[in-house]
Amino acid sequence: MILDVRLDGFGAPIGELAADDRGAVTFTYTGEHLERADALALSLALPLTPQPFADVATRAYFDNLLQERDTARADIIAKYGLANDDIAGILYHLGKDCSGAVSVLPEGAPAVKVPGVLSRDYEPYADAQLESIVRSLHERRPLPEEVQDPSPLAGVQSKIAVTVLPDGRMAAPLGGAPTTHILKVPQERHEREAAREHRAMVLSRESGFETAATGLMEIAGIPALLVERYDRVVEGGRVRRIHQEDFCQALGLPARLKYERRGTQGRRFDVAAVRTILDRTIDPVRERQLFIDITIFDMLIGNADAHAKNFSLFHLPGNRIRTTPRYDVLPTVLDRGTTDEFAYRIGNAEALAQVDARALDDFLAELGLSSIAGRRRILQEATDRAVRTLNGQLGEIARHDKNFGDLIATNIRTLCDNLGLEVPGPARDMDTFVR
């Protein structure tokens, strides 16, 4: 089997995904794509080269294009009698709905992902239809029969991709046009999750991180979060996709290895692996500092789910890469049914209670900061910056969500105590959050 691999913005396929009789898969860029001055690589793990990529690298990347929730995948496997690891066979049926700008199609099939015109390529949802969609997502039921999810999304949250028109109405794309937003709907008994993710995203922006814009709304009496897609550009009434990939793809890891604890030495999402990515960006010094700041911020707000699929890269012309805005920032520790174990270790620390000066120094050393004095200065500045910013927001946070405010205050106290620093008010005086 041979499948065409397409990238939105290029008129012809950029490569071929092939499967042999044993089910092994390979990926090869086309000669035409390699000769283009504006050629883009699919992934850091699949750089521009005429040689085919073998099964392990190919399978890891293309498996990551499918949804993590495997309902659609399971349906296709059952319907056509496919093997669970028949990645080419599964993509033959699901490849048009791959995430991002990539699509995988039967050989010779026309492109299914193209730029969209807002005045022509979108059908607004009726109010009743949108309410039915939200109720279905809230109750974890299949979408209404007449609704086709235009861009199935990875992750475990209930959500659907939509386009927001200039008049504010939500719409479904037609003919392969891109969506512009993601509508996240919390499940029953988790209604506060939308407001908490919104607050965490706002805190991320206020802390100086480029972060996807969010807005809270209520539909059919159900709270929902509308997230503007960072991998879209809207200009002159047209919408186009930007090619990006997550760190799992960049590292050649399957989605199931998105947490460090699931991998093995040399094949896992850890700080050493992150360094290999950041060192290849257009500004490694800035990117390393950003990753340090993000790590401390996430510790303090209780986001223990910063896994490899929640970090991504833009692929830019000239074979350049940089990290994308932040997305999926959520205080997961507020949910007492989840783990407080980090997605990646900080030194030897697996949770905030274990984070001390030694753990943070080891963390910075793993990122490639060789100077002991430099690491000490960077750590002090990053910690002061995060504590000062979040401490200044505690009153506002607690006014809307006392548990969230108490969690951040508790985390600030824990980190300051572990580092031998004075705890500032109001963090010093707020109640303790207990899991």
Side-chain angles (χ1 to χ4, degrees), residues 233-362:
V233 173
V234 182
E235 292 176 327
R238 290 175 60 86
V239 186
R240 62 180 177 86
R241 299 172 175 90
I242 306 175
H243 179 41
Q244 53 85 36
E245 67 170 336
D246 63 49
F247 277 24
C248 256
Q249 293 168 308
L251 292 168
L253 299 175
R256 62 182 174 276
L257 298 185
K258 64 183 180 180
Y259 297 102
E260 178 173 351
R261 55 187 174 270
R262 294 181 182 171
T264 56
Q265 183 70 37
R267 186 167 168 76
R268 65 188 181 195
F269 173 59
D270 57 17
V271 175
V274 170
R275 177 185 174 184
T276 67
I277 294 176
L278 302 185
D279 281 349
R280 297 174 66 181
T281 62
I282 57 179
D283 192 347
V285 173
R286 175 188 173 277
E287 295 285 8
R288 280 196 295 268
Q289 182 63 64
L290 182 61
F291 187 73
I292 292 166
D293 289 339
I294 284 172
T295 297
I296 295 174
F297 172 85
D298 282 347
M299 283 194 296
L300 294 180
I301 72 160
N303 177 23
D305 203 39
H307 55 66
K309 294 192 75 66
N310 281 341
F311 290 96
S312 288
L313 297 166
F314 282 135
H315 282 261
L316 307 173
N319 210 22
R320 299 172 303 140
I321 61 168
R322 73 172 183 88
T323 56
T324 70
R326 300 215 70 198
Y327 57 97
D328 283 351
V329 181
L330 183 67
T332 57
V333 176
L334 283 174
D335 183 349
R336 292 174 171 86
T338 64
T339 181
D340 63 349
E341 184 177 348
F342 297 147
Y344 53 91
R345 286 199 294 269
I346 311 303
N348 287 323
E350 297 179 346
L352 178 56
Q354 302 166 3
V355 174
D356 55 16
R358 174 63 183 272
L360 286 166
D361 185 70
D362 289 346

Side-chain angles (χ1 to χ4, degrees), residues 387 412 416-417 419-425 428:
V387 169
I412 289 175
C416 288
D417 288 345
L419 297 180
L421 303 175
E422 182 179 354
V423 180
R428 178 184 59 243

